[in-house]
Amino acid sequence: MKLFRNISYKNNIAYLFSCAIFFMIISCEEDLTKNKDKNNKNFPSQIINNANIIQRDSGFVTMRAKAPIIEKYELIDSPYTVARKGIDILFFDKKKPKVPGKIKAKYAKFYDYKQFYEARGDVRITTNENERFAMQTVFWDQRKKRIYTRDTVYVTMKDGSTLIGAHGMTAKDDFSEYVFYQNSGDFTTDQLSENKR
């Protein structure tokens, strides 16, 4: 009789122990499902180290970009791509395919659906006409083909004359036309109109 009681007592302890483990597992699973909706989806789905990207249009190279790291965020409602450690871009025009324009910045971001770019931190733009623009931030609305900034813009023309747009500028994305706000510099309006013919 004593043997039967010891076995039954040990079976009860084993049964209680397995029930406790079962309920612990179930409660952990419930916590995971509750927190599932709160998970942040804003993390990179792709990371490219030492990126060297070439963009083509009908076989013609329109852009070459280099960056130490590029991150693509695709799992959110408004996907975007970011170059946090800077980017160097060469952009090519079919009118002057051998002389690329250049953009350099410490940070860049591209919003996929909006087709909208932003560059920040010592932004330097050199056109294929060798006009140089320096500013802290610049925005490019690719759909509207407009570039703009509200920062002070420093411009050096190919003839060496300079211009300062104290309250920013807007321009066509090929820099064939631009408007500066509260500008000053060492050029004449004849020089500016000659450059834009």
Side-chain angles (χ1 to χ4, degrees), residues 126-196:
T126 304
T127 69
N128 59 6
E129 298 285 336
N130 202 27
E131 296 168 338
R132 296 184 305 271
F133 297 78
M135 63 213 79
Q136 285 303 307
T137 59
V138 71
F139 303 95
W140 176 27
D141 189 331
Q142 195 173 14
R143 287 183 181 157
K144 294 180 180 176
K145 298 187 177 195
R146 301 299 294 175
I147 291 176
Y148 63 91
T149 184
R150 292 189 180 17
D151 290 346
T152 300
V153 181
Y154 301 91
V155 185
T156 305
M157 307 303 252
K158 60 185 173 184
D159 65 358
S161 59
T162 59
L163 170 71
I164 299 171
H167 288 275
M169 69 170 224
T170 61
K172 282 190 174 181
D173 61 0
D174 63 357
F175 287 93
S176 61
E177 293 177 10
Y178 36 76
V179 176
F180 296 94
Y181 302 103
Q182 286 194 350
N183 51 359
S184 62
D186 67 355
F187 65 93
T188 66
T189 52
D190 292 338
Q191 284 176 311
L192 188 59
S193 62
E194 281 175 23
N195 287 335
K196 292 292 109 192

Coordinates of all heavy atoms in Angstrom, one line a residue, residues 126-196:
T126 N 27.8 70.7 -58.5 CA 28.6 71.3 -59.6 C 27.8 70.9 -60.9 O 27.6 69.7 -61.1 CB 30.0 70.8 -59.7 OG1 30.6 71.0 -58.4 CG2 30.8 71.4 -60.8
T127 N 27.4 71.9 -61.7 CA 26.7 71.5 -62.9 C 27.6 71.1 -64.0 O 28.9 71.3 -63.9 CB 25.8 72.8 -63.4 OG1 26.7 73.8 -63.8 CG2 24.9 73.3 -62.3
N128 N 27.1 70.6 -65.1 CA 28.0 70.3 -66.2 C 28.5 71.5 -67.0 O 29.3 71.4 -67.9 CB 27.3 69.3 -67.2 CG 26.0 69.8 -67.8 OD1 25.7 71.0 -67.6 ND2 25.3 69.0 -68.5
E129 N 28.0 72.7 -66.6 CA 28.5 74.0 -67.1 C 29.6 74.6 -66.1 O 30.0 75.7 -66.3 CB 27.4 75.0 -67.2 CG 26.3 74.6 -68.2 CD 26.8 74.8 -69.6 OE1 27.7 75.6 -69.9 OE2 26.2 74.1 -70.5
N130 N 30.0 73.8 -65.1 CA 31.0 74.1 -64.1 C 30.6 75.3 -63.2 O 31.4 76.1 -62.8 CB 32.4 74.4 -64.7 CG 33.5 74.2 -63.7 OD1 33.3 73.5 -62.8 ND2 34.6 75.0 -63.9
E131 N 29.3 75.4 -63.0 CA 28.8 76.4 -62.0 C 28.7 75.6 -60.6 O 28.1 74.5 -60.6 CB 27.4 76.9 -62.4 CG 27.4 77.7 -63.7 CD 26.1 78.0 -64.2 OE1 25.1 77.3 -63.9 OE2 26.0 78.9 -65.0
R132 N 29.2 76.2 -59.6 CA 29.3 75.5 -58.3 C 28.3 76.1 -57.3 O 28.4 77.4 -57.1 CB 30.7 75.5 -57.8 CG 31.6 74.7 -58.7 CD 33.0 74.6 -58.2 NE 33.7 75.9 -57.9 CZ 34.3 76.6 -58.8 NH1 34.5 76.2 -60.0 NH2 34.9 77.7 -58.4
F133 N 27.5 75.3 -56.6 CA 26.5 75.8 -55.6 C 26.9 75.1 -54.3 O 27.2 73.9 -54.2 CB 25.1 75.3 -56.0 CG 24.6 75.9 -57.3 CD1 25.0 75.4 -58.5 CD2 23.7 77.0 -57.2 CE1 24.6 76.0 -59.7 CE2 23.3 77.6 -58.4 CZ 23.7 77.1 -59.6
A134 N 26.9 75.9 -53.2 CA 27.2 75.3 -51.9 C 26.0 75.8 -50.9 O 25.7 77.0 -50.9 CB 28.5 75.8 -51.4
M135 N 25.5 74.9 -50.1 CA 24.4 75.1 -49.2 C 24.4 74.0 -48.1 O 25.2 73.1 -48.2 CB 23.1 75.2 -49.9 CG 22.7 73.9 -50.6 SD 21.7 74.1 -52.1 CE 23.0 74.5 -53.2
Q136 N 23.6 74.2 -47.1 CA 23.5 73.1 -46.1 C 22.4 72.1 -46.4 O 22.5 70.9 -46.0 CB 23.2 73.8 -44.7 CG 24.5 74.4 -44.1 CD 25.6 73.4 -44.0 OE1 25.5 72.4 -43.4 NE2 26.8 73.8 -44.6
T137 N 21.3 72.5 -47.0 CA 20.2 71.5 -47.4 C 19.7 71.9 -48.8 O 19.7 73.0 -49.2 CB 19.0 71.6 -46.4 OG1 18.5 72.9 -46.4 CG2 19.4 71.2 -45.0
V138 N 19.3 70.9 -49.5 CA 18.6 71.1 -50.8 C 17.6 70.0 -50.9 O 17.7 68.9 -50.4 CB 19.6 71.1 -51.9 CG1 20.2 69.7 -52.2 CG2 19.0 71.7 -53.2
F139 N 16.5 70.3 -51.6 CA 15.4 69.4 -51.9 C 15.1 69.4 -53.4 O 15.2 70.4 -54.1 CB 14.1 69.9 -51.1 CG 14.3 70.1 -49.7 CD1 14.6 71.3 -49.1 CD2 14.2 69.0 -48.8 CE1 14.9 71.5 -47.8 CE2 14.4 69.1 -47.5 CZ 14.7 70.4 -46.9
W140 N 14.8 68.2 -53.9 CA 14.5 68.0 -55.3 C 13.2 67.2 -55.4 O 13.1 66.1 -55.0 CB 15.6 67.2 -55.9 CG 15.4 66.8 -57.4 CD1 14.7 67.5 -58.3 CD2 15.9 65.7 -58.1 NE1 14.7 66.9 -59.5 CE2 15.5 65.8 -59.4 CE3 16.8 64.7 -57.7 CZ2 15.8 64.9 -60.4 CZ3 17.1 63.7 -58.7 CH2 16.7 63.8 -60.0
D141 N 12.2 67.9 -56.0 CA 10.9 67.3 -56.3 C 11.1 66.8 -57.8 O 11.0 67.6 -58.7 CB 9.8 68.3 -56.2 CG 8.4 67.7 -56.3 OD1 8.3 66.7 -57.0 OD2 7.5 68.3 -55.8
Q142 N 11.3 65.5 -57.9 CA 11.5 64.9 -59.2 C 10.3 65.0 -60.2 O 10.5 65.2 -61.4 CB 12.0 63.5 -59.1 CG 12.6 62.9 -60.3 CD 13.2 61.5 -60.1 OE1 12.9 60.8 -59.1 NE2 14.0 61.0 -61.0
R143 N 9.1 64.9 -59.6 CA 7.9 65.0 -60.4 C 7.8 66.4 -61.0 O 7.4 66.6 -62.2 CB 6.7 64.7 -59.6 CG 6.6 63.2 -59.3 CD 5.3 62.9 -58.5 NE 5.2 61.5 -58.2 CZ 4.5 61.0 -57.2 NH1 3.8 61.8 -56.5 NH2 4.5 59.7 -57.0
K144 N 8.0 67.4 -60.2 CA 7.9 68.8 -60.7 C 9.2 69.3 -61.4 O 9.2 70.4 -61.9 CB 7.6 69.7 -59.5 CG 6.2 69.5 -59.0 CD 5.9 70.4 -57.8 CE 4.5 70.1 -57.2 NZ 4.2 71.0 -56.1
K145 N 10.2 68.5 -61.3 CA 11.6 68.9 -61.9 C 12.1 70.2 -61.3 O 12.6 71.0 -62.0 CB 11.5 68.9 -63.4 CG 11.1 67.6 -64.0 CD 11.2 67.6 -65.5 CE 10.9 66.2 -66.0 NZ 11.3 66.0 -67.4
R146 N 11.9 70.4 -60.0 CA 12.3 71.6 -59.3 C 13.3 71.2 -58.1 O 13.1 70.2 -57.4 CB 11.1 72.3 -58.7 CG 10.1 72.8 -59.7 CD 10.5 73.7 -60.8 NE 11.0 75.0 -60.3 CZ 11.5 75.9 -61.0 NH1 11.7 75.8 -62.3 NH2 11.9 77.1 -60.5
I147 N 14.3 72.1 -58.0 CA 15.2 72.0 -56.8 C 15.0 73.3 -56.1 O 14.9 74.4 -56.6 CB 16.7 71.9 -57.3 CG1 16.8 70.5 -58.0 CG2 17.7 72.1 -56.2 CD1 18.2 70.3 -58.6
Y148 N 15.1 73.2 -54.7 CA 14.9 74.4 -53.9 C 15.6 74.2 -52.6 O 15.8 73.1 -52.1 CB 13.5 74.8 -53.7 CG 12.6 73.8 -53.0 CD1 12.5 73.9 -51.6 CD2 11.9 72.8 -53.6 CE1 11.7 73.0 -50.9 CE2 11.2 71.9 -52.9 CZ 11.0 72.0 -51.6 OH 10.3 71.1 -50.9
T149 N 15.9 75.4 -52.0 CA 16.4 75.4 -50.6 C 16.0 76.8 -50.0 O 15.8 77.7 -50.7 CB 17.9 75.2 -50.5 OG1 18.3 75.2 -49.2 CG2 18.7 76.3 -51.3
R150 N 15.9 76.8 -48.7 CA 15.7 78.1 -48.0 C 17.0 78.6 -47.3 O 17.0 79.6 -46.7 CB 14.6 78.0 -47.0 CG 13.2 77.8 -47.7 CD 12.1 77.8 -46.8 NE 10.7 77.6 -47.3 CZ 10.3 77.1 -48.4 NH1 11.1 76.7 -49.3 NH2 9.0 77.0 -48.7
D151 N 18.0 77.8 -47.4 CA 19.3 78.1 -46.8 C 20.0 79.2 -47.7 O 19.7 79.4 -48.8 CB 20.2 76.9 -46.8 CG 19.8 75.9 -45.7 OD1 18.9 76.2 -44.9 OD2 20.2 74.7 -45.8
T152 N 21.0 79.8 -47.1 CA 21.9 80.6 -47.9 C 22.7 79.8 -48.9 O 23.2 78.7 -48.6 CB 22.9 81.4 -46.9 OG1 22.2 82.1 -46.0 CG2 23.8 82.3 -47.7
V153 N 22.7 80.3 -50.1 CA 23.3 79.6 -51.2 C 24.5 80.4 -51.7 O 24.4 81.6 -52.0 CB 22.3 79.3 -52.4 CG1 23.0 78.6 -53.5 CG2 21.1 78.6 -52.0
Y154 N 25.7 79.7 -51.8 CA 26.8 80.4 -52.4 C 27.1 79.8 -53.7 O 27.2 78.6 -53.9 CB 28.0 80.1 -51.5 CG 27.8 80.7 -50.1 CD1 27.3 79.8 -49.1 CD2 28.1 82.0 -49.7 CE1 27.1 80.3 -47.8 CE2 27.9 82.5 -48.5 CZ 27.4 81.6 -47.5 OH 27.2 82.1 -46.2
V155 N 27.2 80.7 -54.8 CA 27.4 80.2 -56.1 C 28.6 80.8 -56.7 O 28.9 82.0 -56.6 CB 26.2 80.6 -57.0 CG1 26.3 80.1 -58.4 CG2 24.8 80.2 -56.4
T156 N 29.4 80.0 -57.4 CA 30.6 80.4 -58.1 C 30.3 80.1 -59.6 O 30.1 78.9 -59.9 CB 31.9 79.8 -57.6 OG1 32.0 80.0 -56.2 CG2 33.1 80.3 -58.4
M157 N 30.2 81.1 -60.4 CA 30.0 80.9 -61.9 C 31.3 80.4 -62.5 O 32.4 80.5 -62.0 CB 29.5 82.2 -62.5 CG 28.3 82.8 -61.8 SD 26.9 81.7 -61.7 CE 25.8 82.4 -62.9
K158 N 31.2 79.9 -63.8 CA 32.3 79.4 -64.4 C 33.4 80.5 -64.8 O 34.5 80.2 -64.9 CB 31.9 78.6 -65.7 CG 31.2 79.4 -66.7 CD 30.8 78.5 -67.9 CE 29.9 79.2 -68.9 NZ 29.4 78.3 -69.9
D159 N 32.9 81.7 -64.8 CA 33.9 82.8 -65.1 C 34.5 83.3 -63.8 O 35.3 84.3 -63.8 CB 33.2 84.0 -65.8 CG 32.1 84.6 -65.0 OD1 31.9 84.2 -63.9 OD2 31.5 85.6 -65.6
G160 N 34.2 82.7 -62.6 CA 34.8 83.1 -61.4 C 33.9 84.1 -60.6 O 34.2 84.4 -59.4
S161 N 32.9 84.7 -61.1 CA 32.1 85.6 -60.4 C 31.3 84.8 -59.4 O 31.0 83.6 -59.5 CB 31.1 86.4 -61.3 OG 30.3 85.5 -62.1
T162 N 30.9 85.5 -58.3 CA 30.2 84.9 -57.2 C 28.8 85.5 -57.0 O 28.6 86.7 -57.3 CB 31.0 84.9 -55.9 OG1 31.2 86.3 -55.6 CG2 32.3 84.2 -56.0
L163 N 28.0 84.8 -56.3 CA 26.6 85.2 -56.0 C 26.2 84.6 -54.7 O 26.6 83.4 -54.4 CB 25.6 84.8 -57.1 CG 24.2 84.9 -56.8 CD1 23.8 86.4 -56.9 CD2 23.3 84.2 -57.9
I164 N 25.5 85.3 -53.9 CA 25.0 84.8 -52.6 C 23.5 85.0 -52.6 O 23.0 86.1 -52.7 CB 25.6 85.4 -51.4 CG1 27.1 85.2 -51.4 CG2 25.0 84.9 -50.1 CD1 27.9 86.0 -50.4
G165 N 22.7 83.9 -52.5 CA 21.3 84.0 -52.3 C 21.0 83.8 -50.8 O 21.0 82.7 -50.3
A166 N 20.8 84.9 -50.1 CA 20.7 84.9 -48.6 C 19.5 84.1 -48.1 O 19.6 83.5 -47.0 CB 20.7 86.3 -48.0
H167 N 18.5 84.0 -48.9 CA 17.3 83.3 -48.4 C 16.9 82.2 -49.4 O 15.7 81.9 -49.6 CB 16.1 84.3 -48.2 CG 16.3 85.2 -47.0 ND1 15.9 84.8 -45.8 CD2 16.8 86.4 -46.9 CE1 16.2 85.8 -44.9 NE2 16.7 86.8 -45.6
G168 N 17.9 81.6 -49.9 CA 17.7 80.4 -50.7 C 17.5 80.6 -52.2 O 17.7 81.7 -52.7
M169 N 17.0 79.6 -52.9 CA 16.8 79.6 -54.3 C 15.8 78.5 -54.7 O 15.5 77.6 -54.0 CB 18.1 79.4 -55.1 CG 18.6 78.0 -54.9 SD 20.0 77.7 -56.0 CE 19.6 76.1 -56.7
T170 N 15.3 78.7 -55.9 CA 14.5 77.6 -56.6 C 15.2 77.5 -58.0 O 15.7 78.5 -58.5 CB 13.0 77.9 -56.7 OG1 12.8 79.1 -57.5 CG2 12.4 78.0 -55.4
A171 N 15.1 76.3 -58.6 CA 15.8 76.1 -59.9 C 15.1 75.0 -60.6 O 14.5 74.1 -60.0 CB 17.3 75.8 -59.7
K172 N 15.2 74.9 -61.9 CA 14.9 73.7 -62.7 C 15.9 72.7 -62.3 O 17.1 73.0 -62.0 CB 14.9 74.0 -64.2 CG 13.7 74.7 -64.7 CD 13.7 74.7 -66.2 CE 12.4 75.3 -66.8 NZ 12.4 75.3 -68.2
D173 N 15.5 71.4 -62.4 CA 16.5 70.4 -62.0 C 17.7 70.2 -62.9 O 18.7 69.6 -62.5 CB 15.8 69.1 -61.7 CG 15.1 68.5 -62.9 OD1 15.2 69.1 -64.0 OD2 14.5 67.4 -62.8
D174 N 17.6 70.9 -64.1 CA 18.8 70.8 -65.0 C 19.6 72.1 -64.8 O 20.6 72.3 -65.5 CB 18.4 70.6 -66.4 CG 17.5 71.7 -67.0 OD1 17.2 72.6 -66.2 OD2 17.2 71.6 -68.2
F175 N 19.2 73.0 -63.9 CA 19.9 74.3 -63.7 C 19.9 75.2 -64.9 O 20.7 76.1 -65.0 CB 21.3 74.1 -63.1 CG 21.3 73.6 -61.7 CD1 21.4 72.3 -61.4 CD2 21.2 74.5 -60.6 CE1 21.4 71.8 -60.1 CE2 21.2 74.1 -59.3 CZ 21.3 72.7 -59.1
S176 N 19.0 75.0 -65.8 CA 18.9 76.0 -66.9 C 18.2 77.3 -66.5 O 18.4 78.3 -67.2 CB 18.1 75.3 -68.1 OG 16.7 75.0 -67.6
E177 N 17.5 77.3 -65.4 CA 16.9 78.5 -64.9 C 16.9 78.4 -63.4 O 16.7 77.3 -62.8 CB 15.4 78.6 -65.3 CG 15.1 78.9 -66.7 CD 13.7 78.9 -67.1 OE1 12.8 79.0 -66.1 OE2 13.3 78.9 -68.3
Y178 N 17.2 79.6 -62.7 CA 17.1 79.6 -61.3 C 16.8 81.0 -60.8 O 17.0 82.0 -61.5 CB 18.3 79.0 -60.6 CG 19.7 79.3 -61.2 CD1 20.3 80.6 -61.1 CD2 20.4 78.3 -61.9 CE1 21.5 80.9 -61.7 CE2 21.6 78.6 -62.5 CZ 22.1 79.9 -62.4 OH 23.4 80.1 -62.9
V179 N 16.2 81.0 -59.6 CA 15.8 82.3 -58.9 C 16.4 82.3 -57.5 O 16.3 81.3 -56.8 CB 14.3 82.4 -58.8 CG1 13.9 83.7 -58.1 CG2 13.6 82.4 -60.2
F180 N 17.1 83.4 -57.2 CA 17.7 83.6 -55.9 C 16.9 84.6 -55.1 O 16.4 85.5 -55.7 CB 19.2 84.0 -56.0 CG 20.1 83.0 -56.6 CD1 20.3 83.1 -58.0 CD2 20.6 82.0 -55.9 CE1 21.1 82.1 -58.6 CE2 21.4 81.0 -56.5 CZ 21.6 81.1 -57.9
Y181 N 16.9 84.4 -53.8 CA 16.2 85.4 -52.9 C 17.1 86.2 -52.1 O 18.0 85.6 -51.4 CB 15.2 84.6 -52.0 CG 14.2 83.8 -52.9 CD1 14.4 82.4 -53.0 CD2 13.2 84.4 -53.6 CE1 13.5 81.7 -53.8 CE2 12.3 83.7 -54.4 CZ 12.5 82.3 -54.5 OH 11.6 81.6 -55.3
Q182 N 17.0 87.5 -52.1 CA 17.8 88.5 -51.4 C 19.3 88.2 -51.8 O 20.1 87.8 -50.9 CB 17.6 88.4 -49.9 CG 16.3 89.1 -49.5 CD 16.3 89.4 -48.0 OE1 17.1 88.9 -47.3 NE2 15.3 90.1 -47.6
N183 N 19.6 88.3 -53.1 CA 21.0 88.0 -53.5 C 21.9 89.2 -53.5 O 21.5 90.3 -53.5 CB 20.9 87.4 -54.9 CG 20.1 88.2 -55.9 OD1 19.6 89.2 -55.6 ND2 20.0 87.8 -57.1
S184 N 23.2 88.8 -53.5 CA 24.3 89.8 -53.6 C 25.5 89.1 -54.2 O 25.5 87.8 -54.3 CB 24.6 90.3 -52.2 OG 25.1 89.3 -51.4
G185 N 26.4 89.9 -54.8 CA 27.6 89.2 -55.4 C 28.4 90.2 -56.2 O 28.1 91.4 -56.3
D186 N 29.4 89.6 -57.0 CA 30.3 90.5 -57.8 C 30.1 90.2 -59.3 O 31.0 89.9 -59.9 CB 31.7 90.3 -57.3 CG 32.2 88.9 -57.6 OD1 31.5 88.1 -58.1 OD2 33.4 88.7 -57.4
F187 N 28.9 90.3 -59.7 CA 28.6 90.0 -61.2 C 27.7 91.1 -61.7 O 27.0 91.8 -60.9 CB 28.0 88.7 -61.4 CG 26.7 88.5 -60.8 CD1 25.5 88.8 -61.5 CD2 26.5 88.2 -59.4 CE1 24.3 88.7 -60.9 CE2 25.3 88.1 -58.9 CZ 24.1 88.3 -59.6
T188 N 27.6 91.2 -63.0 CA 26.6 92.1 -63.6 C 25.4 91.3 -64.1 O 25.6 90.1 -64.4 CB 27.2 92.9 -64.8 OG1 27.5 92.0 -65.8 CG2 28.4 93.7 -64.3
T189 N 24.3 91.9 -64.4 CA 23.2 91.2 -64.9 C 23.4 90.7 -66.3 O 22.9 89.7 -66.8 CB 21.9 92.0 -64.9 OG1 22.2 93.3 -65.6 CG2 21.4 92.3 -63.5
D190 N 24.3 91.4 -67.1 CA 24.7 91.0 -68.4 C 25.5 89.6 -68.3 O 25.2 88.7 -69.1 CB 25.6 92.0 -69.1 CG 24.9 93.3 -69.4 OD1 23.6 93.2 -69.5 OD2 25.5 94.3 -69.5
Q191 N 26.4 89.5 -67.3 CA 27.1 88.2 -67.1 C 26.1 87.1 -66.9 O 26.2 86.0 -67.4 CB 28.1 88.3 -66.0 CG 29.3 89.1 -66.2 CD 30.2 89.2 -65.0 OE1 29.7 89.6 -63.9 NE2 31.4 88.9 -65.1
L192 N 25.1 87.4 -66.0 CA 24.2 86.3 -65.6 C 23.3 85.9 -66.8 O 23.1 84.7 -67.1 CB 23.3 86.8 -64.5 CG 22.4 85.8 -63.9 CD1 23.2 84.6 -63.3 CD2 21.5 86.4 -62.8
S193 N 22.9 86.9 -67.6 CA 22.1 86.5 -68.8 C 22.9 85.9 -69.8 O 22.4 85.0 -70.5 CB 21.4 87.8 -69.3 OG 22.3 88.7 -69.8
E194 N 24.2 86.2 -70.0 CA 25.0 85.5 -71.0 C 25.2 84.0 -70.6 O 25.2 83.2 -71.4 CB 26.4 86.2 -71.0 CG 26.4 87.4 -71.8 CD 27.8 88.1 -71.8 OE1 28.8 87.4 -71.5 OE2 27.9 89.3 -72.0
N195 N 25.3 83.8 -69.3 CA 25.5 82.4 -68.8 C 24.3 81.6 -69.1 O 24.4 80.4 -69.2 CB 25.9 82.4 -67.3 CG 27.2 82.9 -67.0 OD1 28.1 82.8 -67.9 ND2 27.5 83.4 -65.8
K196 N 23.1 82.2 -69.1 CA 21.9 81.4 -69.2 C 21.4 81.3 -70.6 O 20.3 80.9 -70.9 CB 20.8 82.0 -68.3 CG 21.2 81.8 -66.8 CD 21.1 80.4 -66.4 CE 22.4 79.8 -66.2 NZ 22.4 78.3 -66.0

